[in-house]
Amino acid sequence: ELSRAQRKLSSSLSAFQFECIGCFQTDDEVVIGSSLKEFAKIVDMVEDERERMLDRSYDQIIAPLENFRKEAIGGAKEGRKKFEKQTVKFYQNQEKYLNLSTKKDGQILQEADASVEMEQRFFAQASLEYAFLLQEVQERKKFEFVETLLSYMYSWLTFYHQGHEVFNDCSPYLKDLQVRLQRTRENFMSTRQEAVQLKNKMLEKNSDSGSMDKMYTRQGYLFLMEKKAFGTTWTKHYCQYQKETRIFTMIPYNQVQQKITSTETLILKTCVRRMSESIDKRFCFDLTAQDRDKEGIVYTLQALCDEDRKLWMDAMDGKEPYGGQGGSGARVGNAQDQTELDAFGLNFILRAIDALEARGLEDQGLYRLVGVSSKVSKLLAQGLDPQRYPKLSLMNPAEWETKTITSAVKQYFRNLPEPLMTYALHSEFITAAKQDRLAPRVAAIQDLVHRLPNDNRIVLEKLIQHLCKVARLSETNLMTVSNLGVCFGPTLLRPEEETVAAIMDIKFCNIVVEILIEQYDKTSSEPASWDTPHLVDSLSHTSTPKGSPPRPSKHSQPVLQVL
């Protein structure tokens, strides 16, 4: 019985495959995914020598996995029930809301508006929480499951006479796997924090989901009026519009019943807002088509709310019934305090790096420990102020703690209006990190680094050169290449749009930074191509007439073109 159980365990481990969100995995995830097959080989090696004993198999394997199933997977199932319940409730409430007549009293309409808005918030919260739970379970099981089996493998091998020799043979692989598991856990914790922040931001700003997909100018649910023999009906459709081709697609679909029938496509000719006096429904607008077989047909559609109608009309260049523009106009965001990739910013970064390197780079948790927010803001404000930065001294640890300086460096890059590695190359960096083999991965990233703007590339090289020095002292400061990737990946490769998909790519941002550090000699320019002291000196002298503080001009040549 014991021998058959061991053989069955080996067979199960060989056949087991992880199901992961997304199409690509990191090198660590690939090794973790194949680790079960390696475990199966080890089991078979020992089983060939003698019968197996599983005295403590229940406490080491069954109980932890059962707890994970009950707590993590069970929690996700409860989240799904809540999501499905809230989905049905929201769409039922929405249909009641949309069926309200314009002849209803104004107070009743206001109460209906408030009710549907509240249900929409509840629905959005339930959706995000369920997606978050799914992502968390999928990510956790990579290390929760394997880590449990890894613990079992260590203890299991010690029970047998031949186990010692097998352990010596497998020890390098097991230790490497343990390091990879730790890195995966750290990436998960970093990603989880970003996911929580994103969820909160999405709940706060109530982002418009209709414009998130770049393939379509706008998409979302609309109700189409259809004339029948004994009146009219309103059918729910999922609609998609591409402004470049003016193609408008309608897919009849009910999210509660989850049924899809035929699809209708037309080439848009005009979009006109429907006057409330001419129809018993609110938020309506009319479309006409250029298609010959549909010429003369008017499609009357009802949006989900007045704001939704404005967004649809903006996308389709809609007009008012009397010929005015029906769009809501451009939205102007509030200006926020931002740092700039200018002479003063670079001067501050170089001085901060010099101060850190002068202190030895041996502080444990360098770049991991977070400084006091008020002190970090004060340091940044003084370091970037043209009038105050000459008086700034970072060499006194009593005045500026190491964690304050490292936090200011990260905050400077985080506050740039565009990340250091640019929005334009973000997707290409991620694609390069997803390549299967290391050599083409490094070559692709090297090529992308040289495609960065000159200013950005030089600043990046200086930063990576500094991080290489930090990583060389990892035995003292505990900041390995992987840890530095977690610290700087999301900052240097910040996505342009904060989406759940972007959250899933954070681990690949970390890999890009890891490669830049590990392969610095290959990805950097020739050492003689730039000189830091000369650079700072040149930048510090791009000033206005004597007696005035230097002020960079937005219309001048790039600040690093002096090279």
Side-chain angles (χ1 to χ4, degrees), residues 34 37 57 120 139 153 357 367 379 428 445 471 498 526:
S34 63
K37 291 182 174 60
S57 62
Q120 187 174 8
E139 292 292 327
M153 295 305 302
E357 293 180 355
Y367 286 108
L379 176 57
E428 296 187 52
I445 291 177
E498 294 176 324
E526 292 297 326

Side-chain angles (χ1 to χ4, degrees), residues 413-449:
F413 289 113
R414 192 179 298 119
N415 288 352
L416 288 173
E418 184 176 20
L420 188 63
M421 300 176 76
T422 72
Y423 291 134
L425 296 178
H426 177 86
S427 60
E428 296 187 52
F429 273 112
I430 298 300
T431 301
K434 291 178 178 179
Q435 295 193 37
D436 294 333
R437 295 186 296 117
L438 180 60
R441 190 186 307 165
V442 173
I445 291 177
Q446 178 184 7
D447 177 66
L448 291 171
V449 167

Side-chain angles (χ1 to χ4, degrees), residues 4-17:
R4 283 197 296 268
Q6 293 284 9
R7 293 295 185 186
K8 186 175 181 180
L9 174 62
S10 174
S11 176
S12 298
L13 294 178
S14 298
F16 186 86
Q17 292 183 344

